[in-house]
Every structure is written in structure tokens, then in C-alpha cells.
Amino acid sequence: RKEVEQDPGPFNVPEGATVAFNCTYSNSASQSFFWYRQDCRKEPKLLMSVYSSGNEDGRFTAQLNRASQYISLLIRDSKLSDSATYLCVVNMASGGSYIPTFGRGTSLIVHP
Amino acid sequence: DTAVSQTPKYLVTQMGNDKSIKCEQNLGHDTMYWYKQDSKKFLKIMFSYNNKELIINETVPNRFSPKSPDKAHLNLHINSLELGDSAVYFCASSPRRTYEQYFGPGTRLTVT
């Protein structure tokens, strides 16, 4: 079983749509959860941290469900510029430290 | 003002050579990382240093040797390069408290 799993997509949505991605993780002792976006041939950029109570940043909402071991990202009113790969990151407990573990990413394409 | 910088951006070399990639961050972060992103875009952590001390070393061949002369720098030296080392290598840094990572622009290594 992969440690951090994401649906690779692509999710192909029209501008203005609402789209949601999920990410599941295998290690229940994980702490610190994040969403990053990566544009083609660029570095990953932090989109938002994910807090236990859920958090929102403009059109983006992130949720954490520890019981079911998944995090989610909701994007409202999609823009063309939202087209990118969205990477889920989980810090997994391992031998006294936490290993940042990336999912393989979910590709989003927003079309006019 | 580049927060995390890497040099070189592109590196083309032959099998068997030794090469180094340099990374510097001016964010005052305590923790620095090296990642490898392969042709399938999977981003995997290789090493992490906290205040010049190695804290993560993830099943990486010992041909790869990180060196951290101070907490703002983390260099990666690779001996006896192999075809399978071709990838994009990303450096990142984070504050110890939040683990929010900031990535450098990447070094695209091609081994021929």
C-alpha cells in the first residue's frame, strides 16, 4: 500500500466550477499536513497547511479527517490559472522523526 | 531576493563522473532537504538536515553525500553518476516549528 495516495486525474473542469481532491495516508501517527501546487517544470509551492479544524484561504478550503486518515482540498470558482498538479504532503512518524512524504499528485486542468 | 537558490540549474554529464549541486537559503530556516523527482514526477525525500545535523537519510545509495557547512547551505555531491540518477533534484528549507517547506527552482541532471 502506498503511504500517501492521490487520484492522479486529470480533473478536467470548466472555469467557475468547484472541484475537490482527496488524499489518503497510511500512518495514523502522522502529523503536519500540506497541499502544494506544482506547475509544469517548476518547483512545488506551498498552497496551504491543513489544520485539524479545517482552514480556508480565499477560494481554497482544506480539511483533515484523522479518523479516516485523509485530507481534502476544495477549490471554488476555478480559474484558468489554477491548472497545475496538486501535491498532498504528510509528515509521517518514523524512528523519532517525521518524514515528509509526498503523494504523486492530482492533475487539474481548468478550461474556458 | 531569491529565498532558496540552487546551482546549477542544468547539469549534463557522463556516466562515472562526480558532480555537486549547491543550495542556499536566506530565510533563516533551521531545516533543509534534498528531494529527487523522477521522470514519473514522483517527489521523494533523500536527506534532511537540521542545524547542520543529518536527521533524515532515506535509502539513498552512498554515492550521494550531502554536506551542510552551515544552516543556510546544504550541498549534494554525487559520485560515479549512473543513468538512473537522471532526474530533477530539489532543495527545500523549512522552519522547524511549522515544517512548511520552500523549494528551490530545481537542478535538472541528465546523465548520458
Side-chain angles (χ1 to χ4, degrees), chain A residues 54-72:
Chain A
N55 46 303
E56 188 174 305
D57 183 2
R59 299 181 293 108
F60 299 84
T61 301
Q63 299 274 355
L64 166 63
N65 186 319
R66 284 192 184 271
S68 301
Q69 293 179 207
Y70 75 84
I71 66 172
S72 63

PDB file of all heavy atoms in Angstrom, chain A residues 54-72:
ATOM      1  N   GLY A  54      -9.828  22.349  10.067  1.00  0.00           N
ATOM      2  CA  GLY A  54     -10.128  22.799   8.707  1.00  0.00           C
ATOM      3  C   GLY A  54      -9.739  24.251   8.551  1.00  0.00           C
ATOM      4  O   GLY A  54      -9.736  25.013   9.522  1.00  0.00           O
ATOM      5  N   ASN A  55      -9.374  24.658   7.360  1.00  0.00           N
ATOM      6  CA  ASN A  55      -8.995  26.049   7.147  1.00  0.00           C
ATOM      7  C   ASN A  55      -9.276  26.465   5.715  1.00  0.00           C
ATOM      8  O   ASN A  55      -9.350  25.635   4.809  1.00  0.00           O
ATOM      9  CB  ASN A  55      -7.532  26.310   7.533  1.00  0.00           C
ATOM     10  CG  ASN A  55      -6.566  25.272   7.004  1.00  0.00           C
ATOM     11  OD1 ASN A  55      -6.699  24.074   7.272  1.00  0.00           O
ATOM     12  ND2 ASN A  55      -5.581  25.713   6.241  1.00  0.00           N
ATOM     13  N   GLU A  56      -9.441  27.764   5.579  1.00  0.00           N
ATOM     14  CA  GLU A  56      -9.847  28.333   4.299  1.00  0.00           C
ATOM     15  C   GLU A  56      -8.919  29.479   3.954  1.00  0.00           C
ATOM     16  O   GLU A  56      -8.496  30.238   4.830  1.00  0.00           O
ATOM     17  CB  GLU A  56     -11.292  28.847   4.438  1.00  0.00           C
ATOM     18  CG  GLU A  56     -11.940  29.291   3.147  1.00  0.00           C
ATOM     19  CD  GLU A  56     -13.418  29.659   3.355  1.00  0.00           C
ATOM     20  OE1 GLU A  56     -14.166  28.809   3.881  1.00  0.00           O
ATOM     21  OE2 GLU A  56     -13.785  30.797   3.014  1.00  0.00           O
ATOM     22  N   ASP A  57      -8.611  29.578   2.670  1.00  0.00           N
ATOM     23  CA  ASP A  57      -7.798  30.693   2.187  1.00  0.00           C
ATOM     24  C   ASP A  57      -8.380  31.118   0.850  1.00  0.00           C
ATOM     25  O   ASP A  57      -8.098  30.501  -0.179  1.00  0.00           O
ATOM     26  CB  ASP A  57      -6.337  30.259   2.041  1.00  0.00           C
ATOM     27  CG  ASP A  57      -5.432  31.404   1.597  1.00  0.00           C
ATOM     28  OD1 ASP A  57      -5.918  32.539   1.432  1.00  0.00           O
ATOM     29  OD2 ASP A  57      -4.219  31.164   1.428  1.00  0.00           O
ATOM     30  N   GLY A  58      -9.231  32.125   0.892  1.00  0.00           N
ATOM     31  CA  GLY A  58      -9.883  32.576  -0.332  1.00  0.00           C
ATOM     32  C   GLY A  58     -10.767  31.480  -0.915  1.00  0.00           C
ATOM     33  O   GLY A  58     -11.682  30.981  -0.254  1.00  0.00           O
ATOM     34  N   ARG A  59     -10.471  31.088  -2.138  1.00  0.00           N
ATOM     35  CA  ARG A  59     -11.288  30.067  -2.822  1.00  0.00           C
ATOM     36  C   ARG A  59     -10.914  28.637  -2.419  1.00  0.00           C
ATOM     37  O   ARG A  59     -11.531  27.689  -2.890  1.00  0.00           O
ATOM     38  CB  ARG A  59     -11.119  30.227  -4.340  1.00  0.00           C
ATOM     39  CG  ARG A  59     -11.578  31.574  -4.864  1.00  0.00           C
ATOM     40  CD  ARG A  59     -11.408  31.673  -6.390  1.00  0.00           C
ATOM     41  NE  ARG A  59      -9.999  31.668  -6.799  1.00  0.00           N
ATOM     42  CZ  ARG A  59      -9.401  30.646  -7.413  1.00  0.00           C
ATOM     43  NH1 ARG A  59     -10.071  29.548  -7.705  1.00  0.00           N
ATOM     44  NH2 ARG A  59      -8.126  30.739  -7.764  1.00  0.00           N
ATOM     45  N   PHE A  60      -9.915  28.500  -1.589  1.00  0.00           N
ATOM     46  CA  PHE A  60      -9.388  27.182  -1.237  1.00  0.00           C
ATOM     47  C   PHE A  60      -9.757  26.811   0.195  1.00  0.00           C
ATOM     48  O   PHE A  60      -9.584  27.604   1.115  1.00  0.00           O
ATOM     49  CB  PHE A  60      -7.855  27.169  -1.378  1.00  0.00           C
ATOM     50  CG  PHE A  60      -7.373  27.455  -2.777  1.00  0.00           C
ATOM     51  CD1 PHE A  60      -7.224  28.761  -3.220  1.00  0.00           C
ATOM     52  CD2 PHE A  60      -7.082  26.419  -3.642  1.00  0.00           C
ATOM     53  CE1 PHE A  60      -6.795  29.024  -4.516  1.00  0.00           C
ATOM     54  CE2 PHE A  60      -6.650  26.670  -4.938  1.00  0.00           C
ATOM     55  CZ  PHE A  60      -6.502  27.973  -5.373  1.00  0.00           C
ATOM     56  N   THR A  61     -10.259  25.575   0.344  1.00  0.00           N
ATOM     57  CA  THR A  61     -10.588  25.070   1.675  1.00  0.00           C
ATOM     58  C   THR A  61      -9.940  23.708   1.847  1.00  0.00           C
ATOM     59  O   THR A  61     -10.060  22.844   0.981  1.00  0.00           O
ATOM     60  CB  THR A  61     -12.111  24.923   1.859  1.00  0.00           C
ATOM     61  OG1 THR A  61     -12.734  26.188   1.667  1.00  0.00           O
ATOM     62  CG2 THR A  61     -12.443  24.386   3.246  1.00  0.00           C
ATOM     63  N   ALA A  62      -9.261  23.537   2.969  1.00  0.00           N
ATOM     64  CA  ALA A  62      -8.613  22.253   3.267  1.00  0.00           C
ATOM     65  C   ALA A  62      -9.242  21.645   4.513  1.00  0.00           C
ATOM     66  O   ALA A  62      -9.603  22.356   5.451  1.00  0.00           O
ATOM     67  CB  ALA A  62      -7.115  22.453   3.475  1.00  0.00           C
ATOM     68  N   GLN A  63      -9.381  20.325   4.495  1.00  0.00           N
ATOM     69  CA  GLN A  63      -9.950  19.616   5.638  1.00  0.00           C
ATOM     70  C   GLN A  63      -9.068  18.424   5.973  1.00  0.00           C
ATOM     71  O   GLN A  63      -8.439  17.835   5.089  1.00  0.00           O
ATOM     72  CB  GLN A  63     -11.349  19.081   5.298  1.00  0.00           C
ATOM     73  CG  GLN A  63     -12.371  20.121   4.933  1.00  0.00           C
ATOM     74  CD  GLN A  63     -13.065  20.695   6.155  1.00  0.00           C
ATOM     75  OE1 GLN A  63     -12.830  20.244   7.273  1.00  0.00           O
ATOM     76  NE2 GLN A  63     -13.909  21.697   5.943  1.00  0.00           N
ATOM     77  N   LEU A  64      -9.062  18.079   7.256  1.00  0.00           N
ATOM     78  CA  LEU A  64      -8.330  16.897   7.715  1.00  0.00           C
ATOM     79  C   LEU A  64      -9.306  15.994   8.453  1.00  0.00           C
ATOM     80  O   LEU A  64     -10.053  16.450   9.314  1.00  0.00           O
ATOM     81  CB  LEU A  64      -7.198  17.324   8.666  1.00  0.00           C
ATOM     82  CG  LEU A  64      -6.530  16.234   9.512  1.00  0.00           C
ATOM     83  CD1 LEU A  64      -5.828  15.200   8.640  1.00  0.00           C
ATOM     84  CD2 LEU A  64      -5.556  16.861  10.501  1.00  0.00           C
ATOM     85  N   ASN A  65      -9.298  14.725   8.118  1.00  0.00           N
ATOM     86  CA  ASN A  65     -10.108  13.730   8.822  1.00  0.00           C
ATOM     87  C   ASN A  65      -9.158  12.666   9.359  1.00  0.00           C
ATOM     88  O   ASN A  65      -8.747  11.757   8.635  1.00  0.00           O
ATOM     89  CB  ASN A  65     -11.140  13.109   7.880  1.00  0.00           C
ATOM     90  CG  ASN A  65     -12.097  12.171   8.595  1.00  0.00           C
ATOM     91  OD1 ASN A  65     -11.687  11.384   9.463  1.00  0.00           O
ATOM     92  ND2 ASN A  65     -13.368  12.241   8.252  1.00  0.00           N
ATOM     93  N   ARG A  66      -8.782  12.813  10.630  1.00  0.00           N
ATOM     94  CA  ARG A  66      -7.796  11.887  11.226  1.00  0.00           C
ATOM     95  C   ARG A  66      -8.367  10.478  11.372  1.00  0.00           C
ATOM     96  O   ARG A  66      -7.654   9.489  11.219  1.00  0.00           O
ATOM     97  CB  ARG A  66      -7.330  12.392  12.582  1.00  0.00           C
ATOM     98  CG  ARG A  66      -6.338  13.539  12.503  1.00  0.00           C
ATOM     99  CD  ARG A  66      -5.705  13.785  13.856  1.00  0.00           C
ATOM    100  NE  ARG A  66      -4.818  14.932  13.851  1.00  0.00           N
ATOM    101  CZ  ARG A  66      -3.518  14.857  13.546  1.00  0.00           C
ATOM    102  NH1 ARG A  66      -2.982  13.699  13.216  1.00  0.00           N
ATOM    103  NH2 ARG A  66      -2.772  15.936  13.569  1.00  0.00           N
ATOM    104  N   ALA A  67      -9.653  10.389  11.674  1.00  0.00           N
ATOM    105  CA  ALA A  67     -10.252   9.065  11.893  1.00  0.00           C
ATOM    106  C   ALA A  67     -10.182   8.218  10.621  1.00  0.00           C
ATOM    107  O   ALA A  67      -9.876   7.027  10.657  1.00  0.00           O
ATOM    108  CB  ALA A  67     -11.696   9.224  12.348  1.00  0.00           C
ATOM    109  N   SER A  68     -10.450   8.852   9.497  1.00  0.00           N
ATOM    110  CA  SER A  68     -10.424   8.130   8.218  1.00  0.00           C
ATOM    111  C   SER A  68      -9.099   8.303   7.479  1.00  0.00           C
ATOM    112  O   SER A  68      -8.933   7.761   6.389  1.00  0.00           O
ATOM    113  CB  SER A  68     -11.572   8.603   7.316  1.00  0.00           C
ATOM    114  OG  SER A  68     -12.810   8.391   7.954  1.00  0.00           O
ATOM    115  N   GLN A  69      -8.199   9.067   8.054  1.00  0.00           N
ATOM    116  CA  GLN A  69      -6.843   9.257   7.505  1.00  0.00           C
ATOM    117  C   GLN A  69      -6.877   9.794   6.093  1.00  0.00           C
ATOM    118  O   GLN A  69      -6.324   9.195   5.162  1.00  0.00           O
ATOM    119  CB  GLN A  69      -6.020   7.947   7.611  1.00  0.00           C
ATOM    120  CG  GLN A  69      -5.723   7.596   9.068  1.00  0.00           C
ATOM    121  CD  GLN A  69      -4.939   6.308   9.244  1.00  0.00           C
ATOM    122  OE1 GLN A  69      -5.032   5.650  10.270  1.00  0.00           O
ATOM    123  NE2 GLN A  69      -4.156   5.933   8.252  1.00  0.00           N
ATOM    124  N   TYR A  70      -7.568  10.940   5.938  1.00  0.00           N
ATOM    125  CA  TYR A  70      -7.469  11.603   4.645  1.00  0.00           C
ATOM    126  C   TYR A  70      -7.514  13.108   4.841  1.00  0.00           C
ATOM    127  O   TYR A  70      -7.997  13.624   5.846  1.00  0.00           O
ATOM    128  CB  TYR A  70      -8.556  11.131   3.675  1.00  0.00           C
ATOM    129  CG  TYR A  70      -9.945  11.653   3.917  1.00  0.00           C
ATOM    130  CD1 TYR A  70     -10.355  12.897   3.428  1.00  0.00           C
ATOM    131  CD2 TYR A  70     -10.878  10.887   4.627  1.00  0.00           C
ATOM    132  CE1 TYR A  70     -11.632  13.365   3.639  1.00  0.00           C
ATOM    133  CE2 TYR A  70     -12.165  11.353   4.843  1.00  0.00           C
ATOM    134  CZ  TYR A  70     -12.534  12.586   4.351  1.00  0.00           C
ATOM    135  OH  TYR A  70     -13.816  13.055   4.561  1.00  0.00           O
ATOM    136  N   ILE A  71      -6.983  13.803   3.839  1.00  0.00           N
ATOM    137  CA  ILE A  71      -7.131  15.249   3.772  1.00  0.00           C
ATOM    138  C   ILE A  71      -7.765  15.594   2.430  1.00  0.00           C
ATOM    139  O   ILE A  71      -7.705  14.794   1.481  1.00  0.00           O
ATOM    140  CB  ILE A  71      -5.795  16.007   3.970  1.00  0.00           C
ATOM    141  CG1 ILE A  71      -4.822  15.749   2.813  1.00  0.00           C
ATOM    142  CG2 ILE A  71      -5.139  15.639   5.287  1.00  0.00           C
ATOM    143  CD1 ILE A  71      -3.576  16.623   2.888  1.00  0.00           C
ATOM    144  N   SER A  72      -8.386  16.742   2.380  1.00  0.00           N
ATOM    145  CA  SER A  72      -9.068  17.138   1.153  1.00  0.00           C
ATOM    146  C   SER A  72      -8.746  18.597   0.835  1.00  0.00           C
ATOM    147  O   SER A  72      -8.343  19.383   1.703  1.00  0.00           O
ATOM    148  CB  SER A  72     -10.585  16.942   1.289  1.00  0.00           C
ATOM    149  OG  SER A  72     -11.085  17.776   2.315  1.00  0.00           O
TER     150      SER A  72
END
